[in-house]
Amino acid sequence: MKKLLIYNDLKPVVRQQHANLSLKKGTTFEFARETNAVPLVVAEFGRASQDFALVFTEAEEGVIPSAILGLRTNENAYVSADGVWQAAYVPAFIRRYPFVFATDAAAQTFTLMVDETYSGFNTENRGERLFDGDGENTGFLDQTLAFLKDYQAHFERTRAFGEKLAELDLLEAVEARVPMPEDPERRLTGFKVVNRDKLKALSDDVLAQ
């Protein structure tokens, strides 16, 4: 069963266990084939909106923006039959795979996790090593950590943004009718969008915030 939408077998990255592990990044996005929506961070809105419909959903983390990737459950319309990503932009949530941070209940401690089922992992030095011969982080691993730290910071800002939208009562539940040949009455539900009239009615001070 998938974890966090796209991960199969998450394990912490440990020097002793992964000392000889290398990662050969491929071009396949097969791991995201059954994901019909992924979270976004606010910094992605401008670019992501050129390729995807953006909506808001309520989750344990709060009000989270998402990119719609498919109209059917467990179907990503942007992954082709041979695993190619068929949009110009790839959301950061997808780009960080096969790595991700796990956090404690207080969100104070973060642990680097990896999906060990990813086909690019090997012990034949193909691609990028995670640790060097002395057991220290390689430049690749440090870059990965920096990317995940940056993503986490953007995620926290995005969560605050979502809380503000809810506080200002700007979100409204909607459903979209998306007729398809085999299902002319198909509708998408369970998401929210910003009410434009309420947004336009905000004072300049609140809008600036």
Side-chain angles (χ1 to χ4, degrees):
M1 184 176 182
K2 295 281 187 180
K3 303 173 183 177
L4 298 175
L5 301 179
I6 57 177
Y7 298 85
N8 290 307
D9 187 18
L10 283 172
K11 297 289 177 59
V13 175
V14 181
R15 278 184 172 85
Q16 293 85 350
Q17 184 176 340
H18 299 117
N20 298 317
L21 195 65
S22 295
L23 173 63
K24 177 67 173 177
K25 275 280 192 178
T27 57
T28 180
F29 289 85
E30 187 66 33
F31 62 88
R33 180 175 299 283
E34 297 180 356
T35 306
N36 68 349
V38 294
L40 294 174
V41 295
V42 171
E44 298 182 275
F45 280 11
R47 185 60 192 85
S49 63
Q50 297 178 38
D51 292 318
F52 317 111
L54 275 56
V55 300
F56 294 87
T57 57
E58 292 185 349
E60 291 183 6
E61 299 87 351
V63 176
I64 304 298
S66 300
I68 299 296
L69 303 179
L71 301 180
R72 299 181 178 89
T73 302
N74 299 328
E75 179 183 89
N76 186 340
Y78 291 91
V79 176
S80 68
D82 54 356
V84 174
W85 188 264
Q86 297 184 302
Y89 184 72
V90 181
F93 185 93
I94 299 290
R95 282 185 277 125
R96 66 180 181 169
Y97 184 85
F99 298 98
V100 68
F101 271 153
T103 183
D104 60 2
Q108 297 296 318
T109 302
F110 294 91
T111 302
L112 180 62
M113 309 289 286
V114 67
D115 186 349
E116 290 189 333
T117 67
Y118 181 61
S119 61
F121 284 125
N122 65 90
T123 55
E124 291 81 42
N125 288 321
R126 289 183 286 108
E128 302 284 355
R129 287 281 298 270
L130 301 189
F131 299 99
D132 62 22
D134 296 322
E136 300 298 324
N137 292 4
T138 61
F140 168 75
L141 186 56
D142 282 339
Q143 291 174 6
T144 298
L145 286 166
F147 174 77
L148 290 176
K149 289 177 182 177
D150 185 62
Y151 179 90
Q152 191 65 33
H154 279 292
F155 180 79
E156 293 303 325
R157 297 189 193 105
T158 300
R159 182 157 56 179
F161 176 76
E163 289 176 356
K164 195 66 176 178
L165 291 180
E167 176 188 325
L168 296 172
D169 193 30
L170 293 178
L171 297 172
E172 62 178 355
V174 297
E175 68 173 31
R177 185 170 178 269
V178 283
M180 304 183 75
E182 75 283 8
D183 187 2
E185 298 299 322
R186 176 176 291 274
R187 297 176 186 273
L188 288 182
T189 60
F191 61 89
K192 296 183 176 182
V193 300
V194 172
N195 181 295
R196 297 189 181 197
D197 292 334
K198 289 183 177 181
L199 180 64
K200 291 177 181 178
L202 292 179
S203 68
D204 290 343
D205 289 345
V206 173
L207 192 58
Q209 292 176 20

